[in-house]
């Protein structure tokens, strides 16, 4: 699987969420995740939420040029964590 990202967005993500955007790739390794669409303007974006260790994280991404374009990586919101538990227990 190919991944891409904007280097400036990566730095913004580090400053805002204290997480490296590239670590969001782990949520694409086949582990259980809940994914839902999150369109913005004319782009079709998605949010995938999964568990890494004892905590839940969400990555915002889109498909672009046959790659997964990482947009944001952050701790999951309460509702996202609840949706994960509702689906996977």
């Amino acid at each position: 699987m190919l991944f891409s990202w904007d280097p400036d967005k990566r730095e913004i993500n580090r400053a805002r969420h204290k997480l490296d955007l590239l670590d969001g790739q782990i949520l694409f390794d086949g582990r259980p995740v809940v994914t839902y669409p999150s369109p913005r303007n004319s782009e079709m974006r998605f949010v995938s939420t999964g568990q890494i260790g004892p905590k839940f994280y969400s990555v915002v991404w889109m498909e672009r040029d046959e790659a997964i374009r990482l947009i944001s990586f952050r701790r999951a919101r309460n509702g996202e964590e609840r949706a994960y538990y509702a689906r996977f227990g």
Side-chain angles (χ1 to χ4, degrees):
M1 190 173 291
L2 296 174
F3 292 92
S4 66
W5 56 89
D6 179 320
D8 293 333
K9 281 282 217 178
R10 183 179 179 199
E11 292 306 317
I12 290 168
N13 201 85
R14 282 184 189 168
R16 182 177 296 152
H17 302 295
K18 309 295 187 251
L19 295 168
D20 191 334
L21 185 64
L22 302 187
D23 291 336
Q25 295 176 66
I26 197 168
L27 292 179
F28 295 89
D29 69 356
R31 72 186 62 221
V33 295
V34 172
T35 300
Y36 62 90
S38 181
R40 183 170 181 169
N41 301 325
S42 63
E43 296 179 331
M44 179 50 78
R45 295 180 175 192
F46 300 90
V47 178
S48 294
T49 300
Q51 193 169 6
I52 302 172
K55 298 178 181 177
F56 287 87
Y57 294 87
S58 293
V59 62
V60 179
W61 59 278
M62 64 184 297
E63 293 180 10
R64 183 184 285 172
D65 300 327
E66 299 182 26
I68 302 295
R69 179 83 170 178
L70 303 173
I71 299 166
S72 177
F73 180 55
R74 58 175 170 72
R75 286 289 306 274
R77 296 179 180 137
N78 291 336
E80 293 165 334
E81 192 171 332
R82 283 193 303 273
Y84 181 93
Y85 279 123
R87 175 127 187 239
F88 298 110

